Amino acid sequence: MNHYFRLIFMFIRHWFRCQTAYAPTGDFMIKLTALPFDCDANMHLTNSRYFSFGDLGRIDMLLKTKLAGLTLKKGWLGVVNAQTVSYIRAIKPLSRIELHSKLLGWDEKYWYFEHRFVANNTLYASILVRGVFIKGKQVIPMQELLALIGHHQASPELPRRVSHWKELLSIKKQESPF
């Protein structure tokens, strides 16, 4: 339930503050507090909350780049295809954290995002996310999506960790017994 409040506050904050459109490949940062009900019985941020916070980071990017309204008007939905997380340090209740989000790049089908959880200039966790924008069952190419805001540049070169992750995802699909 608290995520609904965070989401509503995010929309309100953008409505009143964010007049300038940001570049889609920039760094985006939001500040969050790990509330007690975000934490599990071990008294640290629960595993699923990292992914929920990542959702907020991507929504923040869509709002700041002005893509949110444009994609909604076209009926395009962002869908996560794969995620992986690396937990480095526990985030304790009432910790103030910065969520740094970045669109790392894209290929012919997918976009690749990274979310970094930082407190006191220390990395606590990192999430890699792969997804697509769709309308119905049709995949919307990233070039078409980014053209909505006048961004016609090619994808930045994907970091090596993303290239390795793409290869791993391909192998997992090939080796699946189903």
Side-chain angles (χ1 to χ4, degrees), residues 37-72:
F37 42 82
D38 293 323
C39 298
D40 59 21
N42 295 322
M43 296 312 295
H44 59 72
L45 198 63
T46 187
N47 299 341
S48 63
R49 193 58 84 192
Y50 287 88
F51 295 115
S52 297
F53 283 168
D55 290 341
L56 291 175
R58 290 188 304 280
I59 291 169
D60 177 66
M61 177 270 195
L62 290 172
L63 289 168
K64 286 179 178 173
T65 59
K66 307 297 186 196
L67 278 168
L70 297 170
T71 56
L72 283 175

Side-chain angles (χ1 to χ4, degrees), residues 66-85:
K66 307 297 186 196
L67 278 168
L70 297 170
T71 56
L72 283 175
K73 285 179 188 173
K74 290 190 166 281
W76 296 353
L77 300 173
V79 178
V80 169
N81 168 268
Q83 296 185 83
T84 186
V85 62

Side-chain angles (χ1 to χ4, degrees), residues 37-170:
F37 42 82
D38 293 323
C39 298
D40 59 21
N42 295 322
M43 296 312 295
H44 59 72
L45 198 63
T46 187
N47 299 341
S48 63
R49 193 58 84 192
Y50 287 88
F51 295 115
S52 297
F53 283 168
D55 290 341
L56 291 175
R58 290 188 304 280
I59 291 169
D60 177 66
M61 177 270 195
L62 290 172
L63 289 168
K64 286 179 178 173
T65 59
K66 307 297 186 196
L67 278 168
L70 297 170
T71 56
L72 283 175
K73 285 179 188 173
K74 290 190 166 281
W76 296 353
L77 300 173
V79 178
V80 169
N81 168 268
Q83 296 185 83
T84 186
V85 62
S86 297
Y87 304 105
I88 300 165
R89 292 171 184 79
I91 296 176
K92 301 291 184 186
L94 302 179
S95 295
R96 302 266 310 149
I97 54 175
E98 294 177 349
L99 175 63
H100 295 263
S101 301
K102 184 168 182 60
L103 175 63
L104 298 174
W106 53 91
D107 57 28
E108 57 283 345
K109 184 174 182 180
Y110 298 107
W111 45 260
Y112 299 88
F113 236 94
E114 181 176 43
H115 301 289
R116 295 175 322 280
F117 295 79
V118 177
N120 302 318
N121 292 320
T122 303
L123 183 65
Y124 278 68
S126 174
I127 300 175
L128 287 177
V129 184
R130 179 171 87 171
V132 296
F133 272 86
I134 60 169
K135 182 170 185 173
K137 292 184 179 184
Q138 177 189 2
V139 172
I140 309 301
M142 275 302 286
Q143 293 84 352
E144 187 176 341
L145 177 98
L146 295 174
L148 294 175
I149 55 170
H151 187 88
H152 300 286
Q153 298 166 357
S155 172
E157 184 177 340
L158 291 171
R160 199 172 58 176
R161 64 188 179 280
V162 174
S163 300
H164 289 299
W165 184 49
K166 283 176 60 173
E167 185 178 336
L168 175 63
L169 291 170
S170 178

